Amino acid sequence: MANSSMTDAISPRDSNIFDILNELKQGQLDIKVELKLEMQSLRNQLSASTDRISALENEISSLKKENTELKNSNDESDQYGRRHNILIYNIEETLDSKKERDNLIVVLRYVNVSIDEVDVFHRLGTEGITEKRRPMIIRFYGHGSRITALRNKKSLPHPIHLSEHLTQRRAALVRSLPALKRDGRVHSVYTRNGNVFVRPGEGLTPVLIKSEIELDEFASILPKPPTEINAVRHQGRKRNPGKDPTEGARRSARLNPSDKGAISRPTYPQYSIFGHPHQCGISQ
């Protein structure tokens, strides 16, 4: 009876309101379902995009590795082709080819090598671009002549000097490494048979450096230069701006009894266990 009376009490207007509310609820449910489906579709698309990006990154990494290997292989081949070569710097330069040969003969005598062991020689670079003497490249018939010249290079008179004929890539490494030695981070830097070596410390095993990446990795594990360490220590010191600059002096010096605010120098005996005051650097 009570339910029927309540139903009879609902007017047609109220019934329309309930119908509208039910439609709204159903609409909300439909929207939620659509949103879930759309979100799931977006997740699937994102997952597929992520997979494609990951595949592309792996492909790029593989291509970079392959490119690095090709560069290393080409560099090795290029350096192998220079195994009989040396570079000599600061030889007097002249336009007369016979004079050039005579100058080279004189220089080679210092390193115990004969001109007959030379296959070919010529200057590097374009003539007349700079006033500096262009380096001379010498190619020997055999590897032994090159080794002999390198072993005796310290016998050359200043400013003439010689070096291995390195590839452009290895020469760039050699130019960048002396900074580590100047900073005291490595003991020595040298080349042997076209390879670049760094000795971290005296008596330690030398490290072979083949590329800029290996150089960066090697430098990252070295101790910092002393200048950087001192700079860090200096930055870590905090000053007290409110500190009285005479506080230390007031603490260590003896105050004059007649004037508590004045600072007097400490008094010394005429003679002490340290000898005469003048011998201690104390003036009367």
Side-chain angles (χ1 to χ4, degrees), residues 21 58 92 129 151 154 181 242 244 251 258 263 274 277:
L21 290 175
N58 292 334
E92 182 182 356
I129 292 182
R151 285 178 177 174
K154 292 184 179 180
K181 184 178 180 181
D244 184 1
R251 184 180 296 112
S258 60
I263 300 178
F274 301 105

Side-chain angles (χ1 to χ4, degrees), residues 47-158:
S47 178
S49 299
T50 303
D51 293 340
R52 286 196 296 269
I53 291 173
S54 179
L56 289 174
E57 288 178 346
N58 292 334
E59 185 178 356
I60 291 172
S61 178
S62 177
L63 290 174
K64 284 183 177 180
K65 183 179 179 180
E66 183 179 351
N67 186 36
T68 301
E69 291 175 353
L70 287 174
K71 284 184 177 180
N72 292 339
S73 177
N74 291 336
D75 187 68
E76 288 286 347
S77 299
D78 190 5
Q79 187 61 53
Y80 183 78
R82 306 174 186 224
R83 67 191 185 281
H84 293 165
N85 301 354
I86 62 170
L87 291 176
I88 301 182
Y89 301 86
N90 293 322
I91 296 182
E92 182 182 356
E93 186 171 358
T94 176
L95 298 178
D96 187 352
S97 58
K98 185 178 183 303
K99 181 64 175 177
E100 285 273 89
R101 187 176 186 276
D102 292 340
N103 291 339
L104 178 59
I105 291 174
V106 173
V107 172
L108 291 179
R109 286 174 182 168
Y110 284 97
V111 292
N112 296 329
V113 177
S114 169
I115 191 66
D116 296 331
E117 302 174 57
V118 175
D119 180 14
V120 65
F121 67 92
H122 61 85
R123 297 280 179 172
L124 289 180
T126 304
E127 180 183 355
I129 292 182
T130 63
E131 296 181 357
K132 295 182 179 180
R133 297 173 179 176
R134 293 176 296 164
M136 181 181 290
I137 178 173
I138 293 92
R139 181 176 183 85
F140 296 105
Y141 286 110
H143 189 63
S145 302
R146 171 183 173 276
I147 293 177
T148 301
L150 290 171
R151 285 178 177 174
N152 297 308
K153 64 181 181 180
K154 292 184 179 180
S155 302
L156 290 170
H158 181 78

Side-chain angles (χ1 to χ4, degrees), residues 218-234:
F218 175 76
S220 65
I221 63 176
L222 292 175
K224 292 183 178 180
T227 53
E228 292 187 12
I229 296 176
N230 294 335
V232 172
R233 290 177 179 174
H234 182 72

Side-chain angles (χ1 to χ4, degrees), residues 2 22 26 30 81 83 85 89 125 144 169 215 223 251 258 265:
N22 290 332
Q26 186 61 39
D30 294 340
R83 67 191 185 281
N85 301 354
Y89 301 86
R169 183 182 184 184
L215 174 59
R251 184 180 296 112
S258 60
R265 294 181 177 273

